Amino acid sequence: PGGKDNELEARKKQAEEAEQAKKKAEQEKFAKARAENCERAKRAKATLDSGIRIATTNAKGEREIMDDKGRASETQRLNDVIGSDCGPMPAASAQ
């Protein structure tokens, strides 16, 4: 009778290990994406802070030079990204 229980336990353990590996892979993928977002935001902010004129493309596909208002809102957006993606990893939310 012990053989069946051992097999069940082994399968259960295997399933748990697979789940752990999957979670770890997802966390690593998330961490990598955060790091890339952080770097991209820092580079974009450095460009904005340098004061050079920045052209954007509007919805019609036309080039527009970013005005002070656009610069300010983009700087704020980048600061938000840097604040959320450049700090320590947030604690994994319990599901």
Side-chain angles (χ1 to χ4, degrees), residues 11-95:
R11 265 204 228 124
K12 191 175 167 189
K13 190 173 186 326
Q14 209 172 9
E16 284 172 7
E17 286 171 0
E19 184 62 30
Q20 287 294 330
K22 187 177 157 193
K23 278 184 183 170
K24 190 172 192 288
E26 283 173 8
Q27 283 176 335
E28 285 170 4
K29 192 173 158 187
F30 179 67
K32 189 173 182 219
R34 280 183 86 235
E36 287 171 4
N37 284 344
C38 171
E39 277 310 305
R40 213 174 291 128
K42 281 182 175 176
R43 282 197 301 270
K45 188 170 179 336
T47 302
L48 272 177
D49 291 347
S50 73
I52 62 170
R53 289 179 1 146
I54 296 177
T56 56
T57 306
N58 66 17
K60 295 181 212 154
E62 302 163 340
R63 281 173 57 94
E64 294 178 335
I65 299 298
M66 192 182 284
D67 61 6
D68 289 343
K69 188 176 170 218
R71 238 187 163 82
S73 70
E74 184 63 7
T75 298
Q76 181 58 52
R77 191 186 72 76
L78 290 169
N79 284 336
D80 290 347
V81 172
I82 289 168
S84 69
D85 288 359
C86 295
M89 279 283 279
S93 57
Q95 307 221 332

